[in-house]
Amino acid sequence: MSSPYRLHGICGSLRKNSFSSAVLAALADAAASRAVFDYADIGSVPHFNQDLYVDPLPQSVQRLRDQIAKADGLVIVSSEYNHGIPGTLKNALDWASRPHNGSPLRNKPVLIVTTSPAATGGVRAQHQIRETVISALARPVITPEIVVGQVSAKMVDGKFQDTSVIDFAMVGFAALFADIDRLLALPVATPEATS
């Protein structure tokens, strides 16, 4: 792909200066030569309610879905709360997952990164996020798990500063870009071809 990859960044934490948002920013900077990012505002998305899943959708929901649809791939960076996926992130993914066979998440490559002040790096949340995006028919990137343990010790003046983690994550980005390239190379089905 000659033009920059269009990536949609989703931070699983709502805290203004969260560790996850700092990691996402550092990864976006490291990938800047190959990708451009836009970012989700999952805090503005209402609680999922099937009664609200009508036309028109809530504006914040429609914006999230449009951003995902336009992106070549997603990068989710999330903390782990009580050994699991943060509720606001699960809520946003639930809104993006409808309808099941035709949602903006369908066939979308997804790179998952988790963070924690604990040494485990949010590995339990990583597994749950992976399960959720698979159930929505997205395509989690096959790469060694990118977990950032003891993240609070890797911050300097509010910025994430661990080159070994960033270098490791760039291997995941390479796999994400390769998945995007494979999908873009697939022939597009036409009505004549499917009839």
Side-chain angles (χ1 to χ4, degrees), residues 62-105:
Q62 189 61 61
R63 181 173 186 270
L64 173 69
R65 290 169 59 86
D66 289 345
Q67 287 177 307
I68 292 171
K70 291 175 184 174
D72 296 317
L74 307 182
V75 178
I76 298 174
V77 180
S78 181
S79 50
E80 177 181 280
Y81 294 159
N82 298 317
H83 293 185
I85 183 173
T88 49
L89 175 57
K90 179 64 164 60
N91 182 60
L93 293 172
D94 287 345
W95 272 114
S97 70
R98 276 28 177 202
H100 181 64
N101 287 313
S103 82
L105 286 173

Side-chain angles (χ1 to χ4, degrees), residues 25 49 55 86 100 121 129 155 167:
N49 178 342
D55 191 20
H100 181 64
I129 296 166
M155 304 291 295
D167 290 345

